[in-house]
Amino acid sequence: MHFKFLFTIAIFFSIINMNAQNTGALKGTVTTEQGEPIMGASIFVKGLSMGTTSDSNGAFLLEKMPSNTYVIQVSYIGYNTITKQVVITKSEIIQNFTLKESSYMLEGVVVTSQKREQKNKDVPIAITSYGTDFLENQGTFEYDALSEYVPGFQVQIQSVNNPGIVVRGITSDSGDSRVEPRVSIFQDGVSISKSRGSVVELYDIERVEVLKGPQGTLFGRGAQIGAMHIIQNKAKNETSGSVKLGYGNFNQFLATGHYNAPLVEDKLFFRAAAIYNKRDGFIENLSGGDLNGKETVAFRTSFKYLLNDDTTLDVIANWQKDTPPGTSFKSGTYAPLGGDTNPNTFADLERGEELGLDRTVWGVTAILKHDFNDIWDVTSTTAYREFDSNEAFDADGTVAPALFFNEISIGKQFSQEFRFNFDTDDKFRGFFGANFFYEDGSQSVPWEYNERSVAMLLLNPANLVVGGVPILLPAIPNDPNTFGAIAGAPLNSFNKETYTNFGENYSGDIFADASYDLTDKLSFTLGLRATLENINAAYEVIDTEIPSVLGYLSGNYPNTLFAPTNGKIEASDNFLSAVGRFAINYEINEEITLFGTTSRGRRPNVINVTAIETTILSDETVWSYEVGAKSLFLNNSLQFDVNAYMYDYSNFQTSVAKLENGVLTNTTEDSGNASSFGFEVALQYAFLKTSSFFANYGYIDASFDDVDSNGNEQALAGNTFRLTPKNSFSAGFNVNIDANDNLRYFFRPTYTYKSKVFFEETNLPEISQDGYGILNIKTGLVFNKDYELTFFMNNALDKEFIVDAGNTGGAFGIPTFIAGAPRFFGVQVKANF
């Protein structure tokens, strides 16, 4: 027995030794034609489904390869992919690769939506990605301008304090501090989703990615139907800078630029960027000032510290201040003195220059990344952020002193995430981790009014404004049969009442997302996120300074509109939830990939506290089903994507402002079930090395179902979702012609179109905008590659349109309308150094 045991051991080690002798290794470097090392190049062994990436020196090593002949594929974004046949023997084989820069290169080819760099073609999500060059070429600094080029994505900005962000028909725009947005806005991996603090200027940006469909696994509890990820330029190991100055009509002035430099050689780097963007309002206000203007100043500083070869720390600080003039909520019922009710002509809004916004947003983010080895790394993201805004607006849209409001929104948040990433360079890759998020905010709405004007609005609205002059009712009509004891009571010339909602939330997440290659063509992705939330909500009404006799009519005495709470009403609850996704990716060949996804999205429960009752709305859920194809042809010069999707919503939540029995409420309600389906097509083609064309089209049919989940008929049955065009498309050229080695001419026209949209889910025909198109043109010269002179014209055909209608005035039967931007034109100069 002893001999047999030793013999068995000997045979075992002999087999191991034979197997070891039958394997080899492949090592080498990947460099450019100039001999520069390429870090992050992909080296893939076809037939083995194994591979690796090159390090900072361009070096790579593949071990334990069975002796055979293999086809090695080496690729890196911006360079032509090469393949080479290599014979692996029992020894170490050295094979170096030299990549040639691609003659054609499109933006948006590389994305990081799955928390790692990948080609868009290889990600089973409908993604639109635009980088620095596209944003610069289009002069895009605001979300609404960017959204024109993204199929299935619409952004309406009444002001930077009040955006409406729409992904495939679902709008996220509530400013209520108790309500979680449906669309996540992320900045360098950190949620900035709360509506009143979410709009940030797009300057010195590396890339913007828009992901459509539920993205809770990747982007947290607020990504019920999509996410936008803004990736800012970080400090680099280089000395560089740029300055851009511009001037246009309506006294538009632009100044922006950046500077980057190493502070400690190969160790510590610094980058600073800033923008000042100002424009007078394009709607004159007879009561003083102008409306629908812009004024933003923003700064950013970032540091990158290389702690060692495996550990990096990025610290990014952002600060932004917005002080634009007021928004033109112009009445469609009462014309200003000497004017008309056209939203695009002059208005007469009460208080004149007091209208406007004062908003400050700032935050600090620290991103620490450590590589354990070639397979594992960890990223820690820590962030703190605050916003504070005060917007004054005239909700009746006239000179009448009836509905003058402020909205004061305050919020702060802290988040901490640990994410462990792994990639075996074989078949399995993904990430898992945990996240803690805390937010505390409030939304306060003071209402200042002349009781004599409000009485006219409530009792005789036809005469609120006559001939452009407000009509005041000095006292309650002396009619005891109608008004009882208050008949003939005098009315005050000034009063004020205020409501405030409060939201304080704690959430903890655990999440995991992984992809597995079943074959070298077929892969599966599974993602899950579990969330425990502690949601705290409160509501309080501060009574009028002087008791209002109008309160006897509305039943809200001593207030007129806001029912008294007699102190703060508070409520709290805990919720446990889960969302997830399952995706399939199939690579037909090196150019074409098919994908399919099924995912579940969720919007958290709302604790709806009012003066009358406290209710808990069910969490709004959606099941999404999507199929698509992505392609990348001709050495990355042609990209074509197409996808189709279907959504099924339950407990759809709707923000509703209404006046019932004299009580004005602005709450979130459960509107039952809804569904949508649609498809999108996107194309990019670089037809020359420096010239390209893009086009995209989106179709969506999104409406409320006939019955709810209990079989009851729905009040909004068949109605189209608000802010949702059934058809939208955009197209544009970026043509660059070299006159000689030092002079280049460029021409960049774009055209965007969207079909009819309704501004309210009631689908009232007068509260809508018919289909229209906008033509933008940019042209200019580039000198010595570093100096640029640009002439621009946005809305070149001076198309009149509106961006919103209804609003708070609509609750009183006097809807207001907001004009879209007219023709803007000007000149810009830029210098790189």
Side-chain angles (χ1 to χ4, degrees):
M1 292 292 293
H2 181 68
F3 172 76
K4 290 182 178 180
F5 176 75
L6 293 177
F7 181 76
T8 301
I9 293 296
I11 293 295
F12 178 72
F13 278 104
S14 296
I15 293 173
I16 292 177
N17 188 54
M18 289 173 61
N19 286 336
Q21 291 177 355
N22 287 328
T23 63
L26 177 67
K27 69 179 296 185
T29 60
V30 183
T31 59
T32 67
E33 290 184 300
Q34 292 74 36
E36 296 293 325
I38 297 178
M39 177 182 176
S42 171
I43 301 92
F44 182 73
V45 184
K46 291 191 171 183
L48 282 184
S49 293
M50 67 179 296
T52 188
T53 56
S54 56
D55 63 19
S56 58
N57 297 315
F60 68 90
L61 174 63
L62 289 166
E63 298 180 293
K64 298 179 181 180
M65 297 177 63
S67 298
N68 208 333
T69 301
Y70 299 100
V71 174
I72 310 299
Q73 178 179 286
V74 182
S75 61
Y76 186 69
I77 298 302
Y79 292 81
N80 293 336
T81 298
I82 61 174
T83 57
K84 191 176 185 68
Q85 194 173 75
V86 176
V87 178
I88 301 298
T89 61
K90 300 175 183 179
S91 59
E92 185 176 81
I93 303 300
I94 297 176
Q95 177 66 60
N96 298 324
F97 296 91
T98 301
L99 298 187
K100 180 180 180 181
E101 188 173 2
S102 175
S103 298
Y104 306 89
M105 186 59 203
L106 298 173
E107 285 202 301
V109 172
V110 177
V111 296
T112 55
S113 55
Q114 294 191 132
K115 312 304 180 182
R116 56 188 180 274
E117 281 198 355
Q118 295 175 279
K119 286 185 178 179
N120 190 342
K121 182 179 74 69
D122 299 327
V123 180
I125 302 171
I127 305 172
T128 301
S129 176
Y130 288 123
T132 301
D133 290 345
F134 184 90
L135 299 175
E136 281 279 327
N137 291 344
Q138 303 306 324
T140 302
F141 296 107
E142 294 94 11
Y143 297 173
D144 53 346
L146 174 67
S147 72
E148 300 293 340
Y149 309 114
V150 182
F153 184 53
Q154 306 287 333
V155 176
Q156 172 218 64
I157 295 184
Q158 293 183 359
S159 73
V160 292
N161 193 53
N162 195 0
I165 300 173
V166 188
V167 174
R168 292 176 170 174
I170 298 301
T171 303
S172 183
D173 62 354
S174 176
D176 193 316
S177 64
R178 302 164 296 184
V179 177
E180 188 69 20
R182 293 184 176 101
V183 179
S184 279
I185 309 296
F186 268 65
Q187 188 178 54
D188 292 324
V190 177
S191 173
I192 61 170
S193 303
K194 280 296 186 182
S195 175
R196 283 9 182 192
S198 65
V199 176
V200 293
E201 206 79 348
L202 299 178
Y203 68 102
D204 197 34
I205 298 296
E206 176 185 328
R207 187 169 67 254
V208 177
E209 298 175 2
V210 180
L211 294 78
K212 287 155 281 187
Q215 303 299 334
T217 299
L218 300 174
F219 288 95
R221 66 193 188 114
Q224 181 209 19
I225 203 61
M228 179 168 68
H229 192 192
I230 303 164
I231 303 163
Q232 303 174 121
N233 279 321
K234 315 293 191 305
K236 305 173 184 177
N237 188 12
E238 66 179 29
T239 300
S240 64
S242 69
V243 174
K244 177 185 283 188
L245 299 173
Y247 183 80
N249 61 333
F250 297 101
N251 288 318
Q252 193 262 346
F253 177 73
L254 170 71
T256 185
H258 85 276
Y259 179 71
N260 190 105
L263 299 179
V264 178
E265 186 176 359
D266 297 328
K267 201 72 174 177
L268 179 63
F269 321 122
F270 165 77
R271 188 181 188 94
I275 188 170
Y276 178 69
N277 197 352
K278 181 183 183 298
R279 185 193 65 244
D280 292 345
F282 53 82
I283 299 293
E284 178 190 356
N285 190 27
L286 293 185
S287 290
D290 49 50
L291 305 165
N292 293 6
K294 178 180 178 66
E295 185 169 26
T296 296
V297 59
F299 298 96
R300 182 186 313 127
T301 57
S302 65
F303 295 88
K304 182 184 288 290
Y305 181 47
L306 305 182
L307 282 76
N308 52 51
D309 291 341
D310 299 317
T311 310
T312 61
L313 173 65
D314 284 288
V315 179
I316 310 108
N318 282 281
W319 180 88
Q320 179 169 320
K321 180 82 167 179
D322 298 284
T323 52
T327 300
S328 179
F329 292 97
K330 185 177 177 180
S331 176
T333 306
Y334 311 101
L337 183 64
D340 54 38
T341 56
N342 184 341
N344 303 92
T345 59
F346 68 85
D348 193 2
L349 273 58
E350 179 202 1
R351 308 246 187 142
E353 295 185 0
E354 290 185 40
L355 301 171
L357 170 67
D358 187 347
R359 186 187 80 137
T360 302
V361 181
W362 67 272
V364 179
T365 301
I367 305 172
L368 180 68
K369 182 176 180 180
H370 175 72
D371 294 328
F372 294 108
N373 49 46
D374 291 340
I375 297 176
W376 286 93
D377 67 69
V378 62
T379 300
S380 168
T381 304
T382 309
Y384 181 81
R385 196 165 188 272
E386 288 190 6
F387 65 87
D388 186 341
S389 67
N390 187 340
E391 182 168 19
F393 60 97
D394 184 357
D396 58 73
T398 74
V399 71
L403 300 177
F404 180 83
F405 292 90
N406 281 68
E407 183 193 355
I408 303 169
S409 294
I410 299 172
K412 61 182 179 181
Q413 69 177 58
F414 171 80
S415 61
Q416 173 63 59
E417 179 175 286
F418 293 100
R419 187 179 69 249
F420 293 87
N421 302 278
F422 63 91
D423 190 339
T424 64
D425 287 325
D426 187 3
K427 294 177 178 293
F428 196 38
R429 58 205 168 274
F431 62 87
F432 63 88
N435 175 279
F436 171 77
F437 188 82
Y438 166 76
E439 61 183 355
D440 185 15
S442 65
Q443 179 196 42
S444 182
V445 182
W447 173 40
E448 297 180 358
Y449 59 98
N450 185 325
E451 291 182 1
R452 300 168 182 176
S453 184
V454 174
M456 186 63 69
L457 174 62
L458 298 177
L459 300 176
N460 189 9
N463 291 317
L464 177 69
V465 176
V466 177
V469 178
I471 305 301
L472 305 180
L473 192 65
I476 298 293
N478 193 12
D479 180 1
N481 292 329
T482 302
F483 299 103
I486 64 169
L491 295 169
N492 298 310
S493 61
F494 178 83
N495 221 334
K496 179 179 180 180
E497 55 192 76
T498 304
Y499 78 79
T500 305
N501 58 65
F502 305 85
E504 183 177 22
N505 301 316
Y506 301 81
S507 68
D509 297 350
I510 55 173
F511 53 84
D513 193 281
S515 299
Y516 180 76
D517 297 331
L518 193 64
T519 69
D520 58 354
K521 291 182 175 293
L522 180 64
S523 65
F524 296 90
T525 299
L526 179 65
L528 295 169
R529 180 181 292 259
T531 302
L532 176 62
E533 299 162 304
N534 172 242
I535 297 179
N536 304 272
Y539 180 74
E540 182 178 26
V541 171
I542 298 176
D543 294 343
T544 55
E545 297 176 357
I546 305 170
S548 172
V549 295
L550 291 176
Y552 287 109
L553 300 178
S554 66
N556 297 324
Y557 186 84
N559 299 337
T560 298
L561 290 182
F562 306 151
T565 60
N566 300 313
K568 184 186 291 188
I569 303 173
E570 299 177 307
S572 178
D573 209 339
N574 298 316
F575 303 94
L576 181 64
S577 64
V579 296
R581 67 173 181 140
F582 176 72
I584 300 175
N585 231 39
Y586 182 73
E587 186 180 276
I588 294 179
N589 51 43
E590 293 181 4
E591 288 81 25
I592 303 174
T593 302
L594 305 180
F595 74 90
T597 66
T598 298
S599 52
R600 181 181 189 270
R602 171 184 178 270
R603 190 191 203 190
N605 303 72
V606 174
I607 301 179
N608 202 24
V609 183
T610 70
I612 300 171
E613 62 179 353
T614 296
T615 57
I616 297 179
L617 298 183
S618 300
D619 53 344
E620 180 181 301
T621 60
V622 58
W623 279 97
S624 167
Y625 310 93
E626 183 164 1
V627 294
K630 299 183 179 185
S631 62
L632 193 58
F633 298 100
L634 305 177
N635 275 328
N636 299 333
S637 66
L638 174 62
Q639 179 177 336
F640 179 79
D641 297 345
V642 59
N643 56 74
Y645 56 88
M646 182 174 66
Y647 295 150
D648 186 12
Y649 300 91
S650 299
N651 306 317
F652 191 84
Q653 299 166 6
T654 303
S655 294
V656 178
K658 58 187 178 181
L659 184 68
E660 289 184 340
N661 300 320
V663 179
L664 178 66
T665 59
N666 195 331
T667 61
T668 302
E669 297 183 354
D670 186 342
S671 296
N673 293 349
S675 58
S676 69
F677 65 89
F679 65 89
E680 298 158 354
V681 179
L683 167 73
Q684 287 190 85
Y685 177 49
F687 53 88
L688 294 173
K689 182 176 181 179
T690 58
S691 299
S692 61
F693 167 78
F694 78 89
N696 59 62
Y697 169 78
Y699 171 85
I700 183 169
D701 187 343
S703 60
F704 291 93
D705 295 345
D706 290 338
V707 296
D708 62 20
S709 55
N710 297 319
N712 301 313
E713 291 187 6
Q714 299 193 137
L716 298 175
N719 285 13
T720 298
F721 291 176
R722 61 186 296 263
L723 300 178
T724 303
K726 182 161 286 190
N727 299 281
S728 62
F729 73 84
S730 64
F733 284 92
N734 178 15
V735 179
N736 296 271
I737 300 173
D738 291 328
N740 53 51
D741 291 341
N742 299 316
L743 181 63
R744 170 179 291 178
Y745 165 74
F746 63 83
F747 179 59
R748 297 166 185 155
T750 62
Y751 183 80
T752 62
Y753 171 85
K754 61 180 67 174
S755 60
K756 183 174 183 174
V757 297
F758 292 102
F759 295 111
E760 301 289 350
E761 281 150 353
T762 52
N763 284 191
L764 297 174
E766 65 272 18
I767 311 298
S768 65
Q769 167 64 55
D770 290 334
Y772 66 95
I774 297 294
L775 175 66
N776 298 331
I777 298 172
K778 293 189 73 176
T779 187
L781 300 170
V782 178
F783 308 90
N784 297 323
K785 298 182 180 180
D786 289 325
Y787 304 97
E788 183 176 303
L789 174 65
T790 301
F791 300 92
F792 70 89
M793 185 176 291
N794 297 334
N795 192 4
L797 304 179
D798 203 21
K799 174 66 179 178
E800 288 191 355
F801 61 99
I802 58 174
V803 297
D804 201 14
N807 306 301
T808 303
F812 292 84
I814 51 171
T816 57
F817 300 80
I818 303 175
R823 180 190 294 124
F824 291 150
F825 57 87
V827 62
Q828 297 174 353
V829 293
K830 181 182 179 182
N832 298 315
F833 56 88

